[in-house]
PDB file of all heavy atoms in Angstrom:
ATOM      1  N   VAL A  57      -2.985   4.655  22.628  1.00 94.00           N
ATOM      2  CA  VAL A  57      -2.839   4.217  21.240  1.00 94.00           C
ATOM      3  C   VAL A  57      -2.522   2.726  21.238  1.00 94.00           C
ATOM      4  O   VAL A  57      -1.687   2.265  21.987  1.00 94.00           O
ATOM      5  CB  VAL A  57      -1.729   5.063  20.581  1.00 94.00           C
ATOM      6  CG1 VAL A  57      -0.501   4.287  20.268  1.00 94.00           C
ATOM      7  CG2 VAL A  57      -2.208   5.778  19.397  1.00 94.00           C
ATOM      8  N   ALA A  58      -3.260   1.996  20.425  1.00 97.00           N
ATOM      9  CA  ALA A  58      -3.018   0.561  20.208  1.00 97.00           C
ATOM     10  C   ALA A  58      -3.431   0.257  18.794  1.00 97.00           C
ATOM     11  O   ALA A  58      -4.564   0.494  18.406  1.00 97.00           O
ATOM     12  CB  ALA A  58      -3.834  -0.271  21.205  1.00 97.00           C
ATOM     13  N   TYR A  59      -2.486  -0.262  18.019  1.00 96.00           N
ATOM     14  CA  TYR A  59      -2.799  -0.506  16.608  1.00 96.00           C
ATOM     15  C   TYR A  59      -1.811  -1.516  16.030  1.00 96.00           C
ATOM     16  O   TYR A  59      -0.886  -1.968  16.695  1.00 96.00           O
ATOM     17  CB  TYR A  59      -2.814   0.793  15.811  1.00 96.00           C
ATOM     18  CG  TYR A  59      -1.494   1.507  15.680  1.00 96.00           C
ATOM     19  CD1 TYR A  59      -0.791   1.467  14.489  1.00 96.00           C
ATOM     20  CD2 TYR A  59      -0.923   2.207  16.733  1.00 96.00           C
ATOM     21  CE1 TYR A  59       0.416   2.135  14.345  1.00 96.00           C
ATOM     22  CE2 TYR A  59       0.283   2.862  16.610  1.00 96.00           C
ATOM     23  CZ  TYR A  59       0.963   2.820  15.396  1.00 96.00           C
ATOM     24  OH  TYR A  59       2.161   3.464  15.258  1.00 96.00           O
ATOM     25  N   ALA A  60      -2.011  -1.817  14.743  1.00 97.00           N
ATOM     26  CA  ALA A  60      -1.152  -2.767  14.022  1.00 97.00           C
ATOM     27  C   ALA A  60      -0.577  -2.054  12.801  1.00 97.00           C
ATOM     28  O   ALA A  60      -1.166  -2.049  11.743  1.00 97.00           O
ATOM     29  CB  ALA A  60      -1.958  -4.002  13.608  1.00 97.00           C
ATOM     30  N   PRO A  61       0.602  -1.442  12.955  1.00 96.00           N
ATOM     31  CA  PRO A  61       1.198  -0.703  11.832  1.00 96.00           C
ATOM     32  C   PRO A  61       1.720  -1.624  10.750  1.00 96.00           C
ATOM     33  O   PRO A  61       2.033  -2.786  11.016  1.00 96.00           O
ATOM     34  CB  PRO A  61       2.359   0.054  12.493  1.00 96.00           C
ATOM     35  CG  PRO A  61       2.725  -0.778  13.682  1.00 96.00           C
ATOM     36  CD  PRO A  61       1.435  -1.406  14.154  1.00 96.00           C
ATOM     37  N   ILE A  62       1.773  -1.102   9.541  1.00 93.00           N
ATOM     38  CA  ILE A  62       2.356  -1.817   8.411  1.00 93.00           C
ATOM     39  C   ILE A  62       3.388  -0.917   7.762  1.00 93.00           C
ATOM     40  O   ILE A  62       3.133   0.261   7.522  1.00 93.00           O
ATOM     41  CB  ILE A  62       1.285  -2.179   7.349  1.00 93.00           C
ATOM     42  CG1 ILE A  62       0.286  -3.169   7.923  1.00 93.00           C
ATOM     43  CG2 ILE A  62       1.940  -2.756   6.106  1.00 93.00           C
ATOM     44  CD1 ILE A  62      -0.839  -3.487   6.975  1.00 93.00           C
ATOM     45  N   GLU A  63       4.548  -1.465   7.520  1.00 90.00           N
ATOM     46  CA  GLU A  63       5.588  -0.776   6.756  1.00 90.00           C
ATOM     47  C   GLU A  63       5.572  -1.372   5.371  1.00 90.00           C
ATOM     48  O   GLU A  63       5.926  -2.530   5.168  1.00 90.00           O
ATOM     49  CB  GLU A  63       6.972  -0.965   7.399  1.00 90.00           C
ATOM     50  CG  GLU A  63       7.148  -0.269   8.710  1.00 90.00           C
ATOM     51  CD  GLU A  63       7.170   1.238   8.554  1.00 90.00           C
ATOM     52  OE1 GLU A  63       7.668   1.751   7.514  1.00 90.00           O
ATOM     53  OE2 GLU A  63       6.684   1.917   9.472  1.00 90.00           O
ATOM     54  N   ASP A  64       5.097  -0.584   4.401  1.00 84.00           N
ATOM     55  CA  ASP A  64       5.030  -1.058   3.027  1.00 84.00           C
ATOM     56  C   ASP A  64       6.361  -0.837   2.339  1.00 84.00           C
ATOM     57  O   ASP A  64       6.732   0.282   2.008  1.00 84.00           O
ATOM     58  CB  ASP A  64       3.938  -0.305   2.247  1.00 84.00           C
ATOM     59  CG  ASP A  64       2.615  -0.974   2.349  1.00 84.00           C
ATOM     60  OD1 ASP A  64       2.578  -2.208   2.468  1.00 84.00           O
ATOM     61  OD2 ASP A  64       1.602  -0.280   2.294  1.00 84.00           O
ATOM     62  N   ARG A  65       7.034  -1.907   2.117  1.00 84.00           N
ATOM     63  CA  ARG A  65       8.283  -1.913   1.366  1.00 84.00           C
ATOM     64  C   ARG A  65       8.145  -3.049   0.340  1.00 84.00           C
ATOM     65  O   ARG A  65       7.088  -3.603   0.190  1.00 84.00           O
ATOM     66  CB  ARG A  65       9.477  -2.149   2.290  1.00 84.00           C
ATOM     67  CG  ARG A  65       9.625  -1.114   3.402  1.00 84.00           C
ATOM     68  CD  ARG A  65       9.943   0.260   2.818  1.00 84.00           C
ATOM     69  NE  ARG A  65      10.137   1.254   3.854  1.00 84.00           N
ATOM     70  CZ  ARG A  65       9.261   2.179   4.176  1.00 84.00           C
ATOM     71  NH1 ARG A  65       8.111   2.242   3.575  1.00 84.00           N
ATOM     72  NH2 ARG A  65       9.520   3.062   5.117  1.00 84.00           N
ATOM     73  N   ALA A  66       9.216  -3.423  -0.302  1.00 84.00           N
ATOM     74  CA  ALA A  66       9.153  -4.544  -1.229  1.00 84.00           C
ATOM     75  C   ALA A  66       8.623  -5.788  -0.506  1.00 84.00           C
ATOM     76  O   ALA A  66       7.808  -6.531  -1.032  1.00 84.00           O
ATOM     77  CB  ALA A  66      10.514  -4.816  -1.843  1.00 84.00           C
ATOM     78  N   VAL A  67       9.086  -5.996   0.724  1.00 89.00           N
ATOM     79  CA  VAL A  67       8.537  -7.017   1.610  1.00 89.00           C
ATOM     80  C   VAL A  67       7.931  -6.264   2.777  1.00 89.00           C
ATOM     81  O   VAL A  67       8.604  -5.470   3.438  1.00 89.00           O
ATOM     82  CB  VAL A  67       9.614  -8.007   2.100  1.00 89.00           C
ATOM     83  CG1 VAL A  67       9.053  -8.935   3.171  1.00 89.00           C
ATOM     84  CG2 VAL A  67      10.188  -8.789   0.917  1.00 89.00           C
ATOM     85  N   ALA A  68       6.652  -6.481   3.003  1.00 93.00           N
ATOM     86  CA  ALA A  68       5.950  -5.760   4.058  1.00 93.00           C
ATOM     87  C   ALA A  68       6.423  -6.202   5.430  1.00 93.00           C
ATOM     88  O   ALA A  68       6.830  -7.344   5.635  1.00 93.00           O
ATOM     89  CB  ALA A  68       4.448  -5.987   3.944  1.00 93.00           C
ATOM     90  N   MET A  69       6.372  -5.285   6.389  1.00 95.00           N
ATOM     91  CA  MET A  69       6.628  -5.581   7.786  1.00 95.00           C
ATOM     92  C   MET A  69       5.375  -5.186   8.546  1.00 95.00           C
ATOM     93  O   MET A  69       4.849  -4.083   8.368  1.00 95.00           O
ATOM     94  CB  MET A  69       7.814  -4.764   8.310  1.00 95.00           C
ATOM     95  CG  MET A  69       9.135  -5.100   7.664  1.00 95.00           C
ATOM     96  SD  MET A  69       9.729  -6.756   8.004  1.00 95.00           S
ATOM     97  CE  MET A  69      10.087  -6.661   9.731  1.00 95.00           C
TER      98      MET A  69
END
Side-chain angles (χ1 to χ4, degrees):
V57 112
Y59 67 105
I62 295 176
E63 291 291 327
D64 270 330
R65 301 294 182 256
V67 173
M69 296 294 292

